Amino acid sequence: MFLSNLPARLRIMFDPGYARFKREVHELFAPDPNYSRRKSRRFFQGIARGEKIVYHDGGYVVSSYLPPQATQSFFTYIKGGAYQDQLFTSIAYMKRRAPLSAYLCVTNACHFNCVHCSARDPRGKPSFKTAEWIGLIREIQDAGAAVIGFTGGEPALRPDIEELIPGVDSRSATILFTSGKDFTRERAQSFKEAGLDILSVSLDSADPAFHAYMRADENAFQYALNAILFARDAGMYVLVQPVVFKRGLSKEKLFRLFRLVHNHGAHEVRIHQPVPSGTLLNTEDTREIFLTQADRERLFRIQHAANRKLWGFPKVSSFPYTESPGKFGCSAGMKHAYVTSDGELFPCDFLPLSFGNVIKEGFKTVFDRMQRQMGIPKERCWTARLTPHIKGKDIPTDPEESTRICQCIQADEYPRFYRDLQSPDDKLPFDD
């Protein structure tokens, strides 16, 4: 446990609401013959491994890839298991009735032309109308999704976005991804009043010139800083999401970014590694772009060093760590799903494999089809592994081709989080 978590741990110890939350989790898991008190500890310890805990608005953000603990949306995560009489087993083997998180591309329109963007849509098809999106949101929630994300393009460009956000009820947490352009104090307050829980702001570097290059806009840096400040003042949980290229992977550069966004009010920095998507799918010279395994391990050390800081730094997380063999692995298509602006269901935002159209067939039908083909959680990002199978094809691939591609690469061992939950009590490793 990081020493920096001591204040949050003390708060948890004396929080009667958190005690009730733990009892309710136990009651949900207790009917499962594979569950035990010791496995409950492994469940919570597995979520917290490598994380800094942040208390916000009545909930505890342990891993921002899950809903905050002690909230209704966290119970939605548990209840979304495929086996309703064995909810613990459902989590241990990653079997769900619905994805944990579903991100909706509500528009392809965007102010920027980012070099790494995965959401460019050469088909130019329009997005759905307000009522159609709200109906789909309700369908996804009824299936059991615990997090609904609004993405694009730039979702804030939709004039009806403040109508879509309240289409998500309290069963799910909400997150919206933005560049920050044209984001005002008034817009931040409007989003908060509409029910938005998390604002995620793209900011790649503490160097204004580099961020301007990444986003192809000379004012992008200030837009992002303003959005962070305005969202924090409005009471939202604020994530900052940098895409860190290999050439930008240094403790000095990242610590500068961490301090900068902390001073502007960010609660968390969530680091993305570049993946072969969008323009980068066909990039030939990748030596200064994509991370090697040694680079990822270096990133983990930087992440953990930041999380050990007692003050002056936000919580720091990263996709490479979360998707590593020592944590959750990659659960694209099982724990996460992405709906394009015209209703195609992908395993994730960066993997253009379509398993069908949710408007034509229904969300649950297409999700079940996709989940059957994805196998078990993988030990690293699927996008990088499947790139050779996607290059040169018309994308998104159709459901038949998507199935064939998925069958090319399957995992034969679960990442650590799941292995620990599957092991018999007497064979569990020491609690850490």
Side-chain angles (χ1 to χ4, degrees):
M1 183 186 81
F2 298 141
L3 182 61
S4 58
N5 277 330
L6 186 58
R9 293 287 188 185
L10 288 172
R11 182 176 193 127
I12 285 171
M13 287 175 60
F14 295 100
D15 183 347
Y18 193 85
R20 286 194 300 272
F21 160 72
K22 291 291 289 288
R23 285 197 301 271
E24 290 178 34
V25 170
H26 170 71
E27 289 168 3
L28 286 171
F29 284 154
D32 191 332
N34 297 314
Y35 169 73
S36 68
R37 289 282 190 180
R38 190 177 181 201
K39 286 188 175 180
S40 176
R41 291 195 297 272
R42 297 302 300 177
F43 171 70
F44 285 105
Q45 288 171 349
I47 293 171
R49 186 173 295 115
E51 303 285 358
K52 185 175 183 177
I53 303 170
V54 177
Y55 175 79
H56 178 75
D57 198 23
Y60 295 86
V61 180
V62 181
S63 168
S64 63
Y65 300 91
L66 300 175
Q69 293 182 20
T71 65
Q72 186 174 347
S73 53
F74 194 90
F75 288 116
T76 301
Y77 156 55
I78 293 175
K79 294 175 183 178
Y83 314 127
Q84 289 296 288
D85 56 342
Q86 292 183 286
L87 292 175
F88 185 83
T89 300
S90 296
I91 290 176
Y93 288 89
M94 184 37 65
K95 301 297 182 183
R96 296 190 57 79
R97 295 182 293 115
L100 160 67
S101 54
Y103 288 176
L104 315 178
C105 180
V106 295
T107 180
N108 290 313
C110 189
H111 303 100
F112 294 162
N113 187 27
C114 304
V115 298
H116 55 278
C117 181
S118 65
R120 298 178 185 182
D121 189 348
R123 298 166 295 174
K125 293 184 179 180
S127 186
F128 300 118
K129 295 178 181 178
T130 307
E132 292 173 311
W133 276 119
I134 291 176
L136 178 60
I137 288 168
R138 183 54 50 89
E139 187 179 350
I140 294 171
Q141 282 201 283
D142 289 346
V147 179
I148 305 292
F150 297 97
T151 184
E154 170 55 72
L157 282 174
R158 276 193 72 112
D160 63 350
I161 191 65
E162 280 94 343
E163 296 179 62
L164 299 185
I165 294 169
V168 182
D169 62 39
S170 60
R171 291 175 294 173
S172 307
T174 51
I175 180 170
L176 185 142
F177 299 86
T178 183
S179 67
K181 183 175 171 64
D182 297 335
F183 197 79
T184 62
R185 287 188 182 277
E186 292 74 22
R187 199 77 195 276
Q189 190 60 43
S190 177
F191 279 8
K192 177 63 176 177
E193 291 173 359
L196 186 65
D197 299 306
I198 304 169
L199 189 77
S200 176
V201 182
S202 296
L203 181 60
D204 299 313
S205 171
D207 176 1
F210 182 77
H211 184 65
Y213 157 73
M214 290 285 283
R215 304 289 164 172
D217 188 301
E218 64 181 7
N219 297 310
F221 184 79
Q222 193 58 53
Y223 293 146
L225 291 183
N226 289 344
I228 294 166
L229 180 63
F230 298 158
R232 176 64 180 259
D233 289 349
M236 287 179 274
Y237 186 85
V238 184
L239 273 172
V240 172
Q241 293 205 150
V243 177
V244 178
F245 283 16
K246 182 185 179 78
R247 62 177 174 265
L249 182 59
S250 79
K251 184 176 180 179
E252 179 185 2
K253 290 178 180 178
L254 289 175
F255 271 32
R256 280 182 58 208
L257 176 64
F258 301 159
R259 292 189 187 96
L260 172 71
V261 300
H262 173 79
N263 291 338
H264 279 76
H267 298 89
E268 180 175 351
V269 173
R270 190 157 82 175
I271 298 170
H272 288 251
Q273 64 177 337
V275 296
S277 65
T279 302
L280 296 182
L281 180 62
N282 298 307
T283 299
E284 296 297 330
D285 187 359
T286 62
R287 290 170 295 180
E288 294 300 310
I289 298 177
F290 299 122
L291 307 187
T292 65
Q293 183 55 34
D295 294 327
R296 285 187 282 271
E297 290 171 1
R298 185 181 177 195
L299 172 60
F300 303 162
R301 291 192 294 271
I302 294 171
Q303 173 184 340
H304 295 162
N307 282 336
R308 291 188 181 96
K309 298 288 184 181
L310 284 169
W311 53 77
F313 275 55
K315 171 184 174 66
V316 178
S317 61
S318 72
F319 267 99
Y321 179 74
T322 300
E323 294 182 333
S324 70
K327 189 86 174 183
F328 299 119
C330 178
S331 300
M334 295 163 278
K335 196 164 69 174
H336 181 69
Y338 173 77
V339 180
T340 69
S341 63
D342 54 340
E344 300 298 313
L345 190 67
F346 293 0
C348 86
D349 321 31
F350 306 104
L351 197 55
L353 306 179
S354 174
F355 285 87
N357 191 286
V358 297
I359 298 298
K360 296 176 181 177
E361 299 185 72
F363 180 82
K364 189 72 168 62
T365 297
V366 184
F367 175 75
D368 288 347
R369 176 188 303 142
M370 179 170 66
Q371 185 176 220
R372 285 195 300 270
Q373 302 303 326
M374 298 304 289
I376 66 173
K378 314 304 182 290
E379 291 196 338
R380 62 185 177 93
C381 174
W382 253 52
T383 302
R385 297 182 66 188
L386 289 178
T387 297
H389 302 271
I390 297 173
K391 275 190 174 182
K393 297 185 183 297
D394 292 333
I395 55 175
T397 56
D398 61 39
E400 183 177 343
E401 180 66 11
S402 298
T403 296
R404 190 196 68 76
I405 291 172
C406 287
Q407 290 172 348
C408 294
I409 301 176
Q410 291 292 338
D412 56 10
E413 184 178 46
Y414 283 84
R416 180 180 176 181
F417 175 79
Y418 305 102
R419 292 199 311 271
D420 285 354
L421 301 187
Q422 294 166 14
S423 298
D425 275 358
D426 61 352
K427 294 183 178 180
L428 283 173
F430 279 135
D431 294 339
D432 54 10

